[in-house]
Amino acid sequence: TDTQSFPYTSKVYPLFSKGAYGPYQQFSLNDIKEIVSFAQERGIRVVPEFDIPGHTGSWCWGYPEICPNPACNTPSKTGSDSPDGILNPATNMTYTMIEGLFNEATTVFMDDYFHIGGDETQTSCWDKTPSIVDWEKANNFDDNDALLYFNKRALDIVNNKLDSGKGRKPIQWDEMFTKYEANITNKEVTIQVWHGANLIGSVVDAGFQGIFSPDAVWYLDNLKTSWKSMYMTEPTSYVTNKNNLALLLGGEGCMWGETV
């Protein structure tokens, strides 16, 4: 899911479908099961990404109660690639819905890993929402503290409250590492690097499992990057301490929809 569209069709929270482009731009649960089965037969892993708390404008069409002030968080279906949209960290309803939605998703996505984004969070809308401002003051939080609070609760949901308590292995984009390395543990999350390629070395040196996806060389929609440079990029060359190579799980060439 992303801020522009919510194509996953939930039976637990059916109003999320209001965030899809339309009734024919959605994946039913059966569609997803068929995709996962087709992929498994060919040795391909399908890992979902529900990006939170940013990139969530589409969530707000159906459930505005888990979103901040609509005057600054209005969902858009204009086709912009903006990451606008953020969830409300101050209400327990947000976490209840995340847990319910993710548990439903684990019935169709079989992989041990579960991506929850964490990138490009634009928290300015929190400062324009009186209930969130009051909650931050009551907890002596600034926006950075509130984002950490949200992240810790989200990681707890994925690690401990999915699959009847067995949990899944969360993946997050590298912002959650660069912001909160001192506040998270390597047992809580795997870090996917999309900023500078060198960052993968810092991730594994800190003891975290890492996935290599630097936008400058391995984003497939970066049309200025040649195939030769993509193939010549060796992820292990960015890990100086070779004892940590086992923490480098591999890489992913990412394709985003703007240029498709």
Side-chain angles (χ1 to χ4, degrees):
T1 61
D2 207 331
T3 210
Q4 291 77 23
S5 180
F6 198 105
Y8 173 95
T9 303
S10 173
K11 292 184 178 179
V12 177
Y13 294 110
L15 296 185
F16 276 132
S17 291
K18 289 187 175 182
Y21 277 124
Y24 300 107
Q25 286 79 38
Q26 299 180 61
F27 295 101
S28 70
L29 297 181
N30 283 335
D31 290 335
I32 296 171
K33 287 179 180 179
E34 290 180 5
I35 291 168
V36 170
S37 177
F38 183 89
Q40 285 179 329
E41 291 171 356
R42 290 155 179 82
I44 299 169
R45 299 169 67 169
V46 178
V47 178
E49 180 184 354
F50 291 87
D51 202 343
I52 55 173
H55 284 268
T56 49
S58 63
W59 296 50
C60 303
W61 283 96
Y63 295 99
E65 59 267 35
I66 63 170
C67 297
N69 185 343
C72 65
N73 201 46
T74 303
S76 171
K77 297 184 181 181
T78 62
S80 166
D81 65 351
S82 169
D84 292 347
I86 194 165
L87 298 178
N88 184 342
T91 171
N92 281 322
M93 176 61 69
T94 300
Y95 307 101
T96 298
M97 293 185 71
I98 289 172
E99 183 176 339
L101 177 68
F102 287 4
N103 263 303
E104 179 186 50
T106 62
T107 66
V108 290
F109 291 103
M110 300 293 105
D111 201 272
D112 289 339
Y113 287 89
F114 198 101
H115 207 309
I116 57 171
D119 62 316
E120 299 182 313
T121 50
Q122 300 180 2
T123 61
S124 60
C125 194
W126 291 348
D127 303 324
K128 301 172 184 176
T129 306
S131 62
I132 298 177
V133 172
D134 291 344
W135 172 78
E136 287 191 353
K137 287 181 179 178
N139 288 280
N140 197 28
F141 284 170
D142 59 18
D143 284 355
N144 194 58
D145 298 322
L147 181 57
L148 174 60
Y149 172 87
F150 179 96
N151 194 49
K152 295 292 283 187
R153 288 196 66 171
L155 289 176
D156 179 61
I157 288 171
V158 179
N159 277 302
N160 301 310
K161 297 179 179 178
L162 303 187
D163 284 346
S164 301
K166 292 184 294 184
R168 295 285 176 97
K169 298 177 181 179
I171 302 171
Q172 289 189 302
W173 294 107
D174 57 46
E175 285 95 327
M176 290 297 109
F177 173 79
T178 54
K179 285 178 181 287
Y180 302 122
E181 177 187 353
N183 306 103
I184 57 176
T185 71
N186 56 18
K187 296 188 183 302
E188 285 182 290
V189 63
T190 294
I191 302 297
Q192 185 164 7
V193 169
W194 74 276
H195 283 97
N198 289 325
L199 184 56
I200 194 66
S202 301
V203 167
V204 299
D205 284 347
F208 289 82
Q209 290 185 327
I211 300 170
F212 184 82
S213 303
D215 59 344
V217 289
W218 272 18
Y219 271 25
L220 302 180
D221 57 325
N222 189 341
L223 303 183
K224 295 180 181 179
T225 304
S226 70
W227 282 105
K228 181 178 180 180
S229 64
M230 289 184 181
Y231 276 107
M232 293 297 289
T233 298
E234 174 50 60
T236 60
S237 67
Y238 296 96
V239 180
T240 54
N241 186 343
K242 301 308 177 185
N243 293 326
N244 294 327
L245 281 176
L247 295 172
L248 176 57
L249 300 183
E252 178 186 12
C254 299
M255 167 64 83
W256 309 111
E258 298 96 316
T259 54
V260 176

